[in-house]
Amino acid sequence: MKKFYNFPEGFFWGSASSAEQSEGKGNTGKGKTIWDHWFEIEKNRFFDEVGPDVTSDFFNRYDDDIKLMKELGHNSFRMSLSWARLFPNGDGEVNEKAVEFYNKVIDTFIANEVTPFVNLYHFDMPMAMQEKGGWESKKVVKAYANYTDKCFELFGDRIERWFTFNEPLGPVLGGYMQDFHYPNVIDFKRATQVAFNTILANAKAIRKFKKHNLKSKIGIVLNLSPTYPRSSNKYDLEAAEYCDLFYNRSFLDPCVKGEFPKKLVDTLKKYDQMPEYTKEDLKIIKENTAQILGINYYEPRRAKARDNAVNTKSPFMPEWLFDTYVLPGRKFNQYRGWEIYEKGILDLCNNVKDNYGNIEAFISENGMGVADEARFIENGQINDDYRIEFIKGHLKYIHKAIEEGCNINGYHLWTFIDCWSWMNAYKNRYGLVSLDLKTQKRTVKKSGEFYKLLGKNNGFED
Ligand code: BG6
């Protein structure tokens, strides 16, 4: 029997993107980011050797793009500000042309009744700051806090929801553990320093924010994956606990509760992987926690006790304490290699409800990147029923989470128009709207039509 999934009044429907992945360079004199730099020196590591120079040219096309969002059921959208655009050297004087650009963008959102959620950092470290040590350096933490302070001053009168970071775990994993972000270091101790400093930067930005006495709220967007043990065997359970500590609670606990999990700290001490910090740092983290939480959910993590003994000559990694494994017969996105497990979103929301004070939250990313979508064109439109199914599958569980008392107030799909991905460039397409890279032509996909009705009806029937 069909059911109509009705969402609470005022639910935020929309999508998300980031500056580096959609703006293009523009003409404000944007400073180089680590992505511009890495692309310059190692093009071959980017799919089809496409870099972030042009992307979908939001810089020049924001007006039409925002109107199209409105048309396709959006009442909100998460954008990010580019630190390197506003401060080409990372610090010093703000770039007035960049301010003018973001003022126009924000005003256009508001004029179209699409509420902008603003994220302050989405993987895009200014190269000048990376040269000073990136997140390993306390000087960079300070520069970031000053940058955010300026943003609150400049745009704070119009923004209702701020986010300090998108997925701070990403640069830790990519840049210092697994070699998929610049600076391509493999060193867990440096990774923990980067993680700690990012958490401190988040807290310092929140501290600055509070000084502005704005009516708006600030929080952080985390990529969370519910962690499932293979069995109830005690070593499988312990493995899952470690996996959860390193990859979820490492950020979730300090950012929402202001404290690091004791077992994580003990483990880092045991393996001599502790970052450097001061008591004052811990105090700042304790006193400046998130007021709202963005949850990015793509895939679960499945953990089991390690099959083999650790090679203690290899660099320390959290995986010394667990193995991840593939669920036989899992549903998965073959283009990205990620498991699709819709119920995971319910488990995540319940975890936040039960263990993190039911903090006001929203699903800040969820989506499906598919390669070669042109093969699905029918009558000039990409017939992406798989994406519609993906969205509905997750929304049903979000609906259930809300029924169970979870404080979830919105859903943002990744993404609106096909965007540039970090190393995959335009290999996998995530958008509700397809992009012809050569002509910049936008064409609404079938999922875009679905989204239009979703927003209009504040829910869907299935
Ligand atoms: C999220 C990021 O992790 O996943 C986005 O916040 C990213 O920036 C998205 O694009 C999809 O991942 P990918 O690597 O396929 O682009």
Side-chain angles (χ1 to χ4, degrees):
M1 219 180 50
K2 288 209 167 185
K3 169 175 173 183
F4 188 81
Y5 294 85
N6 190 30
F7 283 75
E9 214 185 299
F11 195 74
F12 286 111
W13 294 108
S15 57
S17 190
S18 82
E20 193 81 355
Q21 295 178 274
S22 63
E23 282 179 3
K25 203 170 178 178
N27 62 6
T28 61
K30 183 183 173 197
K32 264 189 205 164
T33 65
I34 51 173
W35 295 95
D36 297 315
H37 175 73
W38 190 20
F39 182 69
E40 249 172 48
I41 58 170
E42 267 194 301
K43 281 196 177 43
N44 58 301
R45 297 198 60 187
F46 295 79
F47 185 77
D48 271 350
E49 302 202 347
V50 175
D53 232 32
V54 180
T55 67
S56 45
D57 193 27
F58 184 73
F59 184 87
N60 292 305
R61 296 166 198 265
Y62 66 87
D63 195 39
D64 286 347
D65 286 353
I66 293 170
K67 286 190 180 121
L68 189 56
M69 286 175 199
K70 176 76 187 161
E71 205 182 308
L72 299 188
H74 285 50
N75 59 18
S76 53
F77 180 78
R78 177 167 63 101
M79 58 180 281
S80 79
L81 301 177
S82 164
W83 182 2
R85 188 182 297 289
L86 284 159
F87 291 89
N89 295 315
D91 53 12
E93 288 299 303
V94 71
N95 180 331
E96 289 303 335
K97 284 188 187 160
V99 175
E100 195 188 317
F101 165 64
Y102 285 125
N103 271 330
K104 282 194 290 191
V105 169
I106 290 168
D107 291 345
T108 307
F109 271 117
I110 293 169
N112 284 281
E113 295 173 324
V114 176
T115 303
F117 289 20
V118 170
N119 169 34
L120 292 150
Y121 187 90
H122 197 127
F123 304 170
D124 49 352
M125 177 66 79
M127 193 54 203
M129 289 283 109
Q130 189 62 42
E131 279 161 359
K132 294 197 168 148
W135 291 120
E136 286 181 86
S137 155
K138 292 275 187 330
K139 280 191 192 135
V140 171
V141 171
K142 193 171 173 212
Y144 167 82
N146 289 340
Y147 146 67
T148 64
D149 194 28
K150 193 71 190 172
C151 293
F152 303 138
E153 177 196 317
L154 290 166
F155 313 117
D157 57 331
R158 284 155 292 162
I159 301 303
E160 289 168 28
R161 281 174 176 74
W162 291 93
F163 296 92
T164 54
F165 284 89
N166 172 79
E167 299 191 357
L169 178 65
V172 176
L173 276 179
Y176 296 85
M177 291 165 70
Q178 296 175 2
D179 195 7
F180 61 87
H181 282 201
Y182 192 80
N184 316 94
V185 169
I186 312 275
D187 184 329
F188 191 71
K189 199 164 183 172
R190 289 174 68 182
T192 60
Q193 191 67 60
V194 166
F196 182 85
N197 286 355
T198 318
I199 291 163
L200 180 62
N202 160 70
K204 285 195 166 177
I206 295 177
R207 188 169 67 171
K208 293 271 190 205
F209 174 82
K210 288 184 195 161
K211 289 199 180 128
H212 289 266
N213 282 322
L214 299 165
K215 284 196 209 89
S216 47
K217 292 183 183 172
I218 188 160
I220 189 162
V221 170
L222 299 178
N223 48 321
L224 300 175
S225 293
T227 310
Y228 301 108
R230 172 179 56 179
S231 75
S232 54
N233 165 287
K234 76 171 189 184
Y235 298 106
D236 277 353
L237 293 178
E238 189 177 60
E241 188 189 359
Y242 277 121
C243 181
D244 188 45
L245 277 170
F246 276 97
Y247 292 139
N248 291 317
R249 295 188 56 195
S250 50
F251 282 94
L252 194 50
D253 282 37
C255 294
V256 178
K257 293 181 175 170
E259 280 170 7
F260 291 89
K262 182 169 181 313
K263 188 161 180 172
L264 177 64
V265 176
D266 290 347
T267 309
L268 293 177
K269 282 185 182 156
K270 180 173 167 193
Y271 290 95
D272 189 25
Q273 302 293 325
M274 281 291 280
E276 281 175 21
Y277 65 96
T278 63
K279 274 196 179 153
E280 173 65 12
D281 293 343
L282 296 185
K283 189 166 176 273
I284 296 171
I285 291 169
K286 178 79 195 163
E287 289 172 356
N288 297 283
T289 53
Q291 302 162 347
I292 46 175
L293 178 69
I295 300 173
N296 288 1
Y297 175 62
Y298 288 90
E299 55 164 354
R301 279 201 186 85
R302 300 193 183 271
K304 62 176 183 177
R306 283 185 58 100
D307 286 336
N308 301 306
V310 169
N311 173 2
T312 52
K313 288 182 184 152
S314 67
F316 176 83
M317 286 290 159
E319 287 70 14
W320 279 26
L321 300 159
F322 58 86
D323 273 349
T324 50
Y325 78 99
V326 167
L327 180 76
R330 67 182 176 158
K331 201 196 264 190
F332 91 120
N333 172 355
Q334 56 175 299
Y335 312 99
R336 194 62 178 81
W338 288 342
E339 178 177 345
I340 298 173
Y341 183 64
E342 296 90 341
K343 181 176 171 286
I345 212 160
L346 173 64
D347 295 337
L348 272 180
C349 294
N350 273 323
N351 180 31
V352 169
K353 179 183 80 178
D354 297 340
N355 301 309
Y356 296 88
N358 209 10
I359 183 173
E360 178 184 342
F362 82 112
I363 304 304
S364 38
E365 276 185 41
N366 174 233
M368 188 183 187
V370 171
D372 304 322
E373 282 195 308
R375 69 201 140 116
F376 303 116
I377 293 180
E378 279 172 28
N379 303 320
Q381 182 177 53
I382 292 172
N383 197 342
D384 55 346
D385 285 319
Y386 43 86
R387 182 166 289 109
I388 299 173
E389 287 312 306
F390 180 98
I391 298 170
K392 280 185 187 169
H394 287 85
L395 283 178
K396 284 180 190 171
Y397 280 107
I398 296 170
H399 190 264
K400 192 164 165 30
I402 296 169
E403 277 180 346
E404 290 179 10
C406 299
N407 196 1
I408 304 293
N409 64 10
Y411 177 80
H412 283 179
L413 184 81
W414 188 266
T415 185
F416 185 57
I417 297 173
D418 291 339
C419 68
W420 183 83
S421 279
W422 307 102
M423 284 173 77
N424 279 331
Y426 283 93
K427 175 180 169 287
N428 298 321
R429 305 298 186 108
Y430 284 87
L432 294 168
V433 177
S434 77
L435 175 75
D436 182 327
L437 247 190
K438 285 200 189 98
T439 61
Q440 285 289 337
K441 185 167 180 253
R442 279 95 163 115
T443 312
V444 176
K445 299 181 195 175
K446 191 171 171 188
S447 57
E449 313 280 357
F450 165 77
Y451 225 73
K452 183 177 184 168
L453 293 177
L454 184 65
K456 186 168 161 240
N457 300 330
N458 198 27
F460 65 100
E461 192 179 68
D462 204 44

